[in-house]
């Protein structure tokens, strides 16, 4: 008898995009070990996601755990210098009908997952399990716990009960006239360009990725800096501002905006386990993305007002009305003078990956992501911290922005992110 699992609206919203990552060098064993461990996770039940076949046309996803190994293969070994190229090519080979692809390439493991199956936290736990060299490696903690497949209502009600006075302001922010904050056009305050601001050319997607690894001790240095210059700011806000400042120093034009992906699990009790999609994106217009102070104020203000959970709720309502995913590329033209529109997804410190069987020092490791950049001018910055090292990936369209220039911007971040901060913040 065929088992089905009812996907949530947040799952369906992302079911036409992918999460494509690579991790290594680490001890993944051989192909047989990788296959057996993925199968073990998938066979626990449909709530663990990996055995599902994501379907963009129906929320009734079929549970077929035995088929999960069909697209787990072994390829030629690669080295660190090849990763950006290999990750890009691996991403381009994605097939919508294939929910999960894995390629073992020597000491590196490439993962291609339908985004409808889960958000960025699922690959983290999967990598941690697959890169555990112990023969009796324990299953992820959630494997033996109840998993909440539809947590949105619980999170929203919990926030409303705790913050009754903020509900009106949050709703007003979301319904007042103006552009959609997730996809808002931003105010252009830069110097006039010689080309018409509306001049466009034909365009088709061409996703690529640039990557860097910061020096050991990066997050420790940021924490010391913020105590004196910007108390209360998160490491993420400082890193996001440094990345924007690096782009501003290149020949690329930087838009006065920033978008951020928020993990809505913060609105649930800590004991709640959510493996599906539970993140919401918010774009902030008329913000200086190179200012750690402005970035911190935007992030903390949005979290305090409950904007992420409100955004997730409204996104599900729109999906139920329109039955249309929001993550695909729909544009076919790009401005002749494009501006970098930064979007950020920061996983923070991923402690699950600190104990895996690495076979290289921190600066020579890799945990990189190529995410769907969406619109032509989008540059998706993905960051993960392992120990005190930050892994940074920039996903972009290389027929819009020059790949060498994007890489040069990231190289500035890797060299010294604190040196990129605005002078007034450095001397405050």
């Amino acid at each position: 008898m065929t088992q089905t699992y009812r996907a949530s609206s947040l799952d369906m919203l992302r079911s036409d995009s992918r999460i494509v990552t690579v991790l290594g060098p680490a001890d993944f064993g051989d192909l047989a070990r990788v296959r057996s461990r993925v199968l073990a996770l998938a066979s626990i039940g449909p709530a663990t996601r990996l055995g599902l076949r994501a379907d963009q046309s129906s929320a009734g996803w079929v549970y077929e755990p035995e088929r999960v190994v069909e697209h787990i293969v072994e390829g030629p070994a690669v080295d660190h210098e090849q990763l950006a190229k290999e990750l890009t090519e691996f991403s381009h080979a994605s097939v919508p009908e294939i929910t999960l692809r894995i390629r073992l390439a020597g000491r590196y493991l490439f993962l291609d997952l339908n985004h409808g199956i889960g958000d960025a936290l699922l690959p983290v736990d999967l990598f941690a399990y697959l890169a555990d060299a112990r023969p009796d490696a324990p299953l992820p903690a959630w494997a033996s716990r109840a998993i909440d497949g539809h947590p949105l209502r619980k999170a929203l009600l919990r926030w409303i009960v705790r913050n009754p006075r903020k509900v009106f302001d949050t709703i007003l922010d979301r319904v007042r006239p103006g552009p959609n904050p997730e996809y808002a056009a931003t105010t252009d305050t830069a110097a006039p360009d010689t080309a018409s601001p509306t001049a466009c050319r034909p365009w088709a997607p061409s996703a690529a990725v640039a990557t860097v690894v910061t020096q050991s001790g990066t997050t420790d240095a940021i924490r010391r800096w913020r105590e004196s210059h910007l108390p209360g700011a998160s490491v993420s806000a400082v890193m996001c501002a440094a990345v924007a400042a690096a782009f501003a120093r290149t020949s690329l034009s930087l838009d006065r905006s920033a978008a951020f992906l928020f993990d809505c699990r913060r609105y649930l009790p800590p004991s709640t386990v959510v493996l599906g999609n539970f993140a919401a994106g918010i774009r902030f217009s008329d913000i200086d993305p190179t200012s750690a102070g402005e970035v911190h104020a935007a992030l903390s203000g949005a979290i305090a007002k409950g904007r992420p959970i409100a955004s997730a709720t409204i996104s599900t309502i729109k999906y139920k009305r329109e039955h249309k995913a929001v993550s695909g590329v729909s544009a076919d033209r790009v401005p002749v003078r494009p501006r970098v529109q930064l979007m950020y997804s920061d996983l923070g410190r991923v402690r699950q990956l600190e104990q895996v069987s690495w076979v290289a020092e921190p600066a020579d490791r890799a945990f990189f992501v190529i995410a769907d950049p969406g619109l032509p001018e989008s540059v998706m910055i993905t960051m993960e911290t392992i120990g005190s090292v930050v892994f940074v990936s920039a996903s972009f369209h290389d027929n819009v922005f020059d790949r060498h220039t994007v890489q040069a911007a990231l190289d500035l971040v890797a060299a010294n992110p604190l040196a990129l901060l605005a002078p007034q913040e450095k001397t405050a």
Side-chain angles (χ1 to χ4, degrees), residues 100-150:
L100 173 69
R101 288 193 307 139
I102 290 178
R103 189 177 80 197
L104 178 63
R107 295 293 194 176
Y108 293 92
L109 195 73
F110 291 80
L111 170 66
D112 171 18
L113 183 71
N114 185 298
H115 202 338
I117 294 297
D119 55 29
L121 295 185
L122 183 57
V124 167
D125 282 337
L126 182 56
F127 275 131
Y129 179 49
L130 297 180
D132 188 334
R134 292 174 294 179
D136 58 345
L139 293 169
W142 45 257
S144 58
R145 296 169 60 186
I147 298 171
D148 195 327
H150 301 273

Side-chain angles (χ1 to χ4, degrees), residues 26-235:
D27 184 355
F28 292 101
D30 57 12
L31 182 63
R33 192 183 91 181
V34 174
R35 284 178 167 174
S36 65
R37 289 190 177 184
V38 176
L39 180 59
L41 285 176
S43 300
I44 293 172
T48 62
R49 321 289 292 183
L50 294 176
L52 297 175
R53 189 176 75 233
D55 184 348
Q56 299 175 33
S57 62
S58 170
W61 290 356
V62 178
Y63 175 57
E64 300 175 321
E66 68 283 353
R67 298 191 62 183
V68 76
V69 299
E70 290 181 357
H71 301 284
I72 301 178
V73 301
E74 190 167 14
V78 300
D79 56 36
H80 196 280
E81 290 69 28
Q82 298 172 288
L83 289 180
K85 177 177 178 291
E86 293 290 333
L87 186 59
T88 299
E89 293 179 354
F90 187 66
S91 172
H92 290 176
S94 294
V95 178
E97 292 76 23
I98 300 176
T99 299
L100 173 69
R101 288 193 307 139
I102 290 178
R103 189 177 80 197
L104 178 63
R107 295 293 194 176
Y108 293 92
L109 195 73
F110 291 80
L111 170 66
D112 171 18
L113 183 71
N114 185 298
H115 202 338
I117 294 297
D119 55 29
L121 295 185
L122 183 57
V124 167
D125 282 337
L126 182 56
F127 275 131
Y129 179 49
L130 297 180
D132 188 334
R134 292 174 294 179
D136 58 345
L139 293 169
W142 45 257
S144 58
R145 296 169 60 186
I147 298 171
D148 195 327
H150 301 273
L152 184 56
R153 181 179 299 177
K154 180 188 299 183
L156 181 62
L157 291 176
R158 187 169 188 261
W159 183 81
I160 290 174
V161 168
R162 291 186 169 203
N163 304 275
R165 296 183 179 180
K166 296 180 181 178
V167 175
F168 177 77
D169 288 340
T170 300
I171 294 175
L172 184 62
D173 281 344
R174 294 290 304 174
V175 302
R176 62 161 53 104
N180 184 329
E182 280 74 21
Y183 302 98
T186 56
T187 304
D188 183 0
T189 58
D193 206 317
T194 55
S196 166
T198 59
C200 292
R201 60 178 174 82
W203 174 81
S206 180
V209 67
T211 63
V212 291
V213 182
T214 69
Q215 300 175 14
S216 294
T218 294
T219 54
D220 297 330
I222 291 175
R223 291 188 182 95
R224 290 192 297 269
W225 175 89
R226 72 177 179 185
E227 293 304 317
S228 301
H229 299 86
L230 200 60
S234 65
V235 171

Side-chain angles (χ1 to χ4, degrees), residues 210-214 367-368 390-394 407 409-414:
T211 63
V212 291
V213 182
T214 69
F367 181 21
F368 300 135
V390 185
F391 298 81
V392 186
S393 310
Q407 184 63 59
L410 293 195
D411 290 341
L412 291 175
V413 176

Side-chain angles (χ1 to χ4, degrees), residues 303-344:
I303 292 169
K305 289 184 177 181
R307 284 189 64 188
I309 197 66
S311 177
T313 302
I314 290 176
S315 293
T316 62
I317 293 172
K318 289 181 64 178
Y319 176 79
K320 289 176 180 178
R321 184 175 67 240
E322 301 172 5
H323 294 280
K324 182 180 179 181
V326 299
S327 52
V329 175
S330 58
D332 59 4
R333 299 182 69 78
V334 62
V336 173
R337 305 295 186 190
R339 294 188 179 279
V340 172
Q341 296 182 358
L342 289 172
M343 307 169 66
Y344 295 95

Side-chain angles (χ1 to χ4, degrees), residues 241-427:
V243 170
F247 275 90
R249 292 193 182 189
T250 71
S251 59
L252 303 176
S253 297
L254 183 64
D255 196 56
R256 189 177 170 82
S257 69
F260 300 89
L261 199 64
F262 293 83
D263 186 352
C264 290
R265 291 170 180 82
R266 69 179 71 246
Y267 299 104
L268 289 168
S271 59
T272 308
V273 179
V274 178
L275 295 183
N277 283 290
F278 205 43
I282 299 175
R283 175 168 291 281
F284 298 88
S285 301
D286 197 24
I287 180 178
D288 179 2
T290 70
S291 167
E294 288 195 32
V295 172
H296 166 64
L299 295 177
S300 59
I303 292 169
K305 289 184 177 181
R307 284 189 64 188
I309 197 66
S311 177
T313 302
I314 290 176
S315 293
T316 62
I317 293 172
K318 289 181 64 178
Y319 176 79
K320 289 176 180 178
R321 184 175 67 240
E322 301 172 5
H323 294 280
K324 182 180 179 181
V326 299
S327 52
V329 175
S330 58
D332 59 4
R333 299 182 69 78
V334 62
V336 173
R337 305 295 186 190
R339 294 188 179 279
V340 172
Q341 296 182 358
L342 289 172
M343 307 169 66
Y344 295 95
S345 175
D346 185 2
L347 291 185
R349 186 173 178 181
V350 282
R351 298 180 185 275
Q352 304 96 306
L353 298 180
E354 293 178 1
Q355 304 302 318
V356 303
S357 303
W358 296 102
V359 293
E361 294 303 311
D364 297 317
R365 298 172 184 172
F367 181 21
F368 300 135
V369 180
I370 178 168
D372 181 0
L375 299 175
E377 297 174 281
S378 299
V379 176
M380 184 71 186
I381 303 296
T382 308
M383 296 187 289
E384 309 87 17
T385 301
I386 302 176
S388 61
V389 171
V390 185
F391 298 81
V392 186
S393 310
S395 304
F396 61 101
H397 295 286
D398 60 8
N399 56 4
V400 178
F401 301 115
D402 176 69
R403 64 171 62 239
H404 298 294
T405 306
V406 174
Q407 184 63 59
L410 293 195
D411 290 341
L412 291 175
V413 176
N416 187 354
L418 292 177
L420 297 165
L421 299 180
Q424 65 269 23
E425 292 173 344
K426 291 172 64 178
T427 60

